[in-house]
Amino acid sequence: MKQKVIVVGGGLIGAATTYYLSKQGADVTLIEAKDIASGTSGACDKAIMMQSKKPGPLLELALQSAALYKGLEEELEADLEYREGGGMILFETEEEREAIHQLVARQRQAGLDVQLLSRDEARLRQPGLADHILGTTWWDHDAEVNPLHVSFSMVRAAQRRGATLCLGKRVSRILTERDRVVGVECEGEKIYADAVVMAMGVWTPLLLKSLNLDIPILPRKGQILVSEQLPAFVACNILGGSYITAKMTPKSKESTASPAAGVGLSFGQTNSGNLLIGGSREFAGYDTRTSVEVTRAINQCAARVFPALRSVRILRVFSGLRPYTPDGKPILGPIEKWPGLYIAAGHEGDGVALCPITGKIMAEIVCGREASHDIRPFLLSRFTSTVPV
């Protein structure tokens, strides 16, 4: 008999989990309160960037995911706008140079052959960089993809395998019987299953409070500017050293002196020619409103690095809520206290990069198969266990 599984959340992670569950032969239903990729996954950039990952379990997971992306267009029979064009992290100050050099040394030890480029070498790869840039990193195999295409294509592929899609239905509570999760309630309708996978990103903790579960995921808002369409301007994925610093700064240490705290360059270009210019990292609860102050700070940061942007028009600004965890790693796997319940959330800004491997691993675990990657560093229990993972 097929295992019946409910996936709650229609973003990248929920779509990937649904797709790989369908490949495993599960009877899977995806439930989404709005539409596919209508939340965080529809308000992010395109980067599949390994250089921004901490060496260790997170980078190892990301590399497996990057390998899956290489064959995903053919597998899904869809154009995902996948491109492996390389990536760089630039540094503007001696402090950033030192921090990036330390990061690169650790990445090389982990097997990631990241190069360090001088200013002149960097400007050969990416024309238009400002004169004050001290240098950059470079890795040939950083890539990009359209997260909307990935989300929709995975859901459609899952439907071709028999998955059920329920859009516009909000899950109001988790159903339990005899200390076990047995389904969900949607707008008064009870839907039963052998397993429930929570893939709701920043909204995951809210729904699980009723089960007395404290899920350490916080919304971390990020704003992105969208420019007018331009001829080819960006040759690769680009991050600023301050962006990496902001990403890896715990909540307790983040500056609260200004709403613009956490601003650092994140730069890419869509197939249609629009520049996606980010970004910020703010703990502002569930407030998704954009801020003029933060918008101005991002714009100034981008123009400082690329002076030519001073004459480029910005068409719009949007924001999304990244699901932050205290140690920067997602929460994956079963919940010991509640058999039948699984979580796949907390990817913060790594949801695009970790999407395929997350879906694959979750499907394997839910269907009782051996996971293709060690999930112990990603279990919820790491936040309460006294044993290092």
Side-chain angles (χ1 to χ4, degrees):
M1 180 181 294
K2 284 186 176 183
Q3 182 156 3
K4 191 169 184 180
V5 184
I6 293 170
V7 177
V8 185
L12 279 162
I13 303 304
T17 302
T18 300
Y19 169 64
Y20 284 100
L21 278 166
S22 71
K23 284 190 69 177
Q24 292 281 356
D27 177 4
V28 56
T29 298
L30 173 62
I31 302 176
E32 162 57 44
K34 295 180 180 178
D35 200 350
I36 299 303
S38 59
T40 302
S41 298
C44 59
D45 60 23
K46 308 174 61 179
I48 308 170
M49 201 162 183
M50 300 300 103
Q51 294 185 65
S52 63
K53 310 297 180 284
K54 290 182 180 179
L58 186 65
L59 177 58
E60 293 165 9
L61 191 69
L63 287 169
Q64 283 200 25
S65 199
L68 289 174
Y69 262 122
K70 291 179 183 292
L72 203 54
E73 286 188 318
E74 181 178 355
E75 183 176 328
L76 297 176
E77 301 177 358
D79 176 16
L80 306 180
E81 296 183 5
Y82 175 84
R83 185 178 73 91
E84 190 177 287
M88 59 173 56
I89 302 173
L90 54 86
F91 37 93
E92 303 177 70
T93 67
E94 290 297 337
E95 183 181 8
E96 288 179 4
R97 190 210 298 263
E98 179 62 25
I100 297 301
H101 279 219
Q102 291 179 12
L103 176 62
V104 168
R106 294 170 56 206
Q107 289 174 332
R108 285 175 171 171
Q109 289 179 346
L112 204 65
D113 186 23
V114 178
Q115 302 174 46
L116 287 166
L117 304 182
S118 68
R119 173 174 51 237
D120 292 340
E121 290 171 330
R123 293 176 74 178
L124 286 175
R125 289 188 180 272
Q126 177 56 64
L129 286 172
D131 293 339
H132 75 275
I133 299 298
L134 299 181
T136 74
T137 66
W138 176 261
W139 194 56
D140 287 326
H141 304 294
D142 281 324
E144 62 182 35
V145 74
N146 187 318
L148 294 174
H149 288 200
V150 173
S151 301
F152 279 95
S153 297
M154 282 185 158
V155 170
R156 290 176 186 133
Q159 287 180 293
R160 292 196 294 269
R161 292 176 177 269
T164 300
L165 176 61
C166 295
L167 298 178
K169 291 192 174 182
R170 188 177 301 277
V171 173
S172 56
R173 69 184 180 104
I174 307 294
L175 301 177
T176 62
E177 290 180 5
R178 298 177 183 176
D179 297 325
R180 178 182 179 85
V181 168
V182 295
V184 301
E185 183 172 334
C186 260
E187 300 176 0
E189 178 187 2
K190 294 180 178 180
I191 306 173
Y192 292 92
D194 302 304
V196 174
V197 181
M198 298 297 301
M200 295 175 63
V202 296
W203 294 275
T204 299
L206 302 182
L207 191 57
L208 294 183
K209 277 184 179 179
S210 63
L211 299 183
N212 294 319
L213 290 172
D214 181 17
I215 311 300
I217 294 175
L218 293 174
R220 201 177 195 185
K221 182 165 67 174
Q223 289 187 200
I224 294 179
L225 284 58
V226 183
S227 80
E228 61 183 314
Q229 293 180 339
L230 300 172
F233 186 91
V234 184
C236 62
N237 290 313
I238 299 175
L239 294 179
S242 58
Y243 183 93
I244 295 297
T245 302
K247 178 181 179 182
M248 297 184 180
T249 299
K251 182 178 187 292
S252 59
K253 296 181 181 179
E254 185 174 83
S255 170
T256 56
S258 165
V263 168
L265 183 67
S266 170
F267 210 77
Q269 188 166 16
T270 67
N271 280 16
S272 60
N274 303 93
L275 299 178
L276 299 180
I277 309 170
S280 60
R281 291 179 181 272
E282 306 170 75
F283 292 101
Y286 289 86
D287 181 5
T288 58
R289 291 175 298 179
T290 58
S291 157
V292 173
E293 182 180 359
V294 174
T295 299
R296 185 179 295 115
I298 295 172
N299 197 34
Q300 290 172 347
C301 179
R304 184 180 69 246
V305 173
F306 286 100
L309 291 181
R310 294 191 180 101
S311 60
V312 171
R313 290 183 300 165
I314 299 301
L315 301 182
R316 66 186 183 96
V317 182
F318 63 88
S319 68
L321 301 176
R322 305 180 187 92
Y324 161 94
T325 63
D327 63 1
K329 298 195 297 286
I331 299 171
L332 308 175
I335 305 305
E336 294 180 8
K337 184 179 178 181
W338 290 101
L341 179 65
Y342 300 79
I343 292 182
H347 294 70
E348 197 176 341
D350 296 329
V352 176
L354 298 179
C355 162
I357 192 63
T358 297
K360 186 173 187 291
I361 288 172
M362 293 305 301
E364 292 165 343
I365 295 168
V366 172
C367 292
R369 293 172 171 79
E370 184 178 354
S372 54
H373 189 89
D374 183 6
I375 67 163
R376 286 176 295 177
F378 305 100
L379 292 171
L380 175 64
S381 59
R382 72 185 187 268
F383 294 108
T384 56
S385 173
T386 57
V387 180
V389 293

